[in-house]
Amino acid sequence: MTMNKLNCLLLALALVGCSSEKSSEGSKPDAFEFSYTIDTVQVDPGDHFIYLQQNLGSSDITPDGKYLLNFNAKTIEMEIVDLDELKLSSVVKLEQEGPNGIGTSPYFGAYRALSTDEFMFASQNKVIKMDLTTNQATYYSFKRSDLSPDALAANEELKNGGLLSSDGSIFYSWYGIQEKPYENHGLAKIDLGSLEVKVIPIPQMDKLDQFTIEVAMSDGTGMRGKFGENITLLELEDKIIIQQSAFNEFWVLDKATLEVTVKANKSNLTENVKAGNFANKVTSQDAFKEARNARDKEVSFGNLILDSERNMIWRISSDFDHMDGEKMVRNYYLTFFDLDLNQLGEYQLENWMMAGKPFIKDGDFYQFLNLEDDMAFVRLKPNFGND
């Protein structure tokens, strides 16, 4: 075992047995009792090297929670991990070209595992549904000529990223101005059966501009770009929840009416909005690094994770604690919401770390951990007093 791997393992093992009896200071005082323990589990890859370069960003959990399907963009394979046995179950080789190919640039913005046999990919202009047992592909094209007339303005286009519905029938794609690839104005609801498109403006997204760092290098390289807040989508039965990392609030899209409302939250453990004390425009690498470091010291609200067993939503947020040399140490906070997005309780976590895509299985919270190029998970086992 290398020294780096040993250090990672010692850090992970230091979490085992940690518990918290903290009560919620920013919500209903008698919502529920909460404590937890933490351990670390590792996946046996056999003789295969599991693809971890995207921190499981190209993966999804099957609806029964038993398998993780991880798309390997390097080898064009689907890696199927048995989460009950914590081992690699199988690897399915996918076609890159031909009538069932996924394309020569297989990088997608949304993924959905319908089962261990069916997996969906979505990019800027197409969705692919793969039958992993037969390697047969079904394609849905989003070329402008294929979409319903006047769905988008002449200068608008669909962007990469979004959300595939749980039944695989709808794709909620980001859209925006063609000349501004880093800006999204809203969502386009695309029916994959009819290719009918309904455009859903989200004016609240303009509020995020104040926290965006625009890069325009003056060193002759011509490098340009924008680095904004993290935005994710969670599907509930009758709504889509838009979660962003700058404000302690949800933007709620009603699936039936396509109207967007704001659900504000209040925390007593963190600030409720980023302060924005960093430069919004930079022209050098040093200035960009300084701005990123300053922004990283401010509060950040994490992804929403559905706990369907308890009919709750989990969210882990963080803020700055101190610097340990050049390493930034952050505080982490776990907040629970009911399915109407009412806050139930918030708790500070001890000895926590964030490292990739989380999910809930059998009532436990799994946080991906890259253990020196091996797949592992930090597992938080909650106790709500009435479990």
Side-chain angles (χ1 to χ4, degrees):
M1 179 179 289
T2 66
M3 184 58 70
N4 284 339
K5 180 176 284 191
L6 178 61
N7 289 338
C8 286
L9 183 59
L10 289 174
L11 177 59
L13 290 175
L15 300 177
V16 177
C18 173
S19 65
S20 171
E21 299 281 344
K22 291 180 179 290
S23 61
S24 170
E25 299 177 35
S27 56
K28 301 174 185 177
D30 298 319
F32 48 71
E33 296 179 7
F34 173 70
S35 62
Y36 63 93
T37 59
I38 296 176
D39 63 5
T40 302
V41 294
Q42 189 167 350
V43 172
D44 180 3
D47 57 1
H48 182 84
F49 290 96
I50 298 178
Y51 181 72
L52 303 177
Q53 293 181 17
Q54 296 187 51
N55 291 332
L56 301 191
S58 57
S59 71
D60 193 30
I61 308 299
T62 55
D64 60 10
K66 294 182 179 298
Y67 293 90
L68 181 146
L69 275 63
N70 184 48
F71 174 58
N72 187 328
K74 187 174 182 180
T75 61
I76 317 302
E77 295 173 325
M78 187 64 68
E79 301 163 340
I80 302 177
V81 176
D82 186 324
L83 294 174
D84 288 335
E85 300 293 332
L86 289 171
K87 68 179 183 180
L88 183 67
S89 174
S90 61
V91 177
V92 179
K93 181 66 178 177
L94 303 180
E95 298 294 331
Q96 192 165 15
E97 299 179 352
N100 292 295
I102 63 171
T104 55
S105 299
Y107 293 95
F108 302 93
Y111 304 85
R112 173 69 74 176
L114 301 179
S115 68
T116 54
D117 298 328
E118 282 191 311
F119 194 90
M120 299 184 73
F121 308 84
S123 67
Q124 183 175 358
N125 57 10
K126 66 181 175 182
V127 165
I128 303 173
K129 180 191 288 186
M130 287 297 306
D131 185 325
L132 300 177
T133 60
T134 63
N135 231 340
Q136 299 293 304
T138 303
Y139 300 95
Y140 307 91
S141 172
F142 299 152
K143 291 184 295 185
R144 182 175 289 273
S145 59
D146 295 328
L147 300 176
S148 49
D150 303 322
L152 299 172
N155 64 339
E156 291 178 333
E157 66 179 358
L158 300 177
K159 306 288 188 176
N160 202 24
L163 174 74
L164 287 158
S165 65
S166 58
D167 63 0
S169 66
I170 303 292
F171 179 42
Y172 296 89
S173 173
W174 295 110
Y175 79 91
I177 303 298
Q178 293 174 347
E179 293 77 17
K180 298 180 179 181
Y182 304 101
E183 295 182 14
N184 296 326
H185 290 175
L187 288 169
K189 179 183 177 182
I190 304 170
D191 185 305
L192 297 181
S194 64
L195 289 182
E196 180 186 9
V197 178
K198 294 183 179 179
V199 174
I200 310 162
I202 304 175
Q204 291 82 4
M205 297 188 71
D206 293 342
K207 297 165 54 177
L208 300 180
D209 291 347
Q210 61 188 301
F211 305 114
T212 297
I213 302 174
E214 183 176 356
V215 179
M217 294 300 179
S218 59
D219 56 4
T221 62
M223 287 182 56
R224 304 181 66 88
K226 284 189 175 182
F227 297 84
E229 294 298 307
N230 186 44
I231 304 176
T232 57
L233 303 172
L234 174 68
E235 180 184 24
L236 296 181
E237 186 170 324
D238 58 350
K239 49 188 172 279
I240 303 292
I241 313 304
I242 304 164
Q243 165 66 28
Q244 39 65 45
S245 51
F247 294 91
N248 189 13
E249 63 185 33
F250 305 134
W251 304 337
V252 184
L253 168 63
D254 185 292
K255 284 185 179 182
T257 65
L258 300 186
E259 295 180 352
V260 178
T261 57
V262 177
K263 174 71 172 178
N265 305 305
K266 184 179 186 332
S267 172
N268 287 334
L269 302 183
T270 72
E271 298 295 328
N272 287 291
V273 62
K274 272 183 164 57
N277 294 326
F278 49 86
N280 293 114
K281 295 186 178 182
V282 297
T283 58
S284 70
Q285 289 285 359
D286 288 342
F288 175 57
K289 181 179 179 180
E290 181 178 348
R292 283 290 298 269
N293 287 341
R295 189 175 74 173
D296 288 347
K297 289 183 178 180
E298 298 186 358
V299 66
S300 181
F301 301 98
N303 298 353
L304 302 180
I305 310 299
L306 177 63
D307 184 345
S308 55
E309 181 178 312
R310 300 184 180 92
N311 290 322
M312 292 196 313
I313 296 170
W314 300 45
R315 184 188 70 185
I316 294 183
S317 304
S318 64
D319 60 16
F320 176 73
D321 190 353
H322 68 279
M323 296 297 298
D324 183 6
E326 295 186 357
K327 180 182 177 182
M328 186 179 300
V329 179
R330 299 183 68 81
N331 300 310
Y332 291 95
Y333 309 90
L334 174 57
T335 308
F336 297 101
F337 303 88
D338 64 23
L339 298 188
D340 291 322
L341 304 178
N342 300 307
Q343 184 170 305
L344 300 176
E346 56 179 349
Y347 307 84
Q348 183 167 353
L349 297 175
E350 305 292 339
N351 301 313
W352 188 253
M353 54 185 169
M354 297 291 285
K357 189 173 184 176
F359 59 92
I360 291 177
K361 172 178 168 51
D362 299 330
D364 297 337
F365 186 95
Y366 284 70
Q367 176 72 62
F368 167 66
L369 173 66
N370 187 330
L371 198 60
E372 193 71 11
D373 295 330
D374 284 336
M375 180 187 287
F377 298 99
V378 178
R379 182 171 58 184
L380 186 154
K381 303 173 75 66
N383 183 352
F384 292 102
N386 57 356
D387 281 3

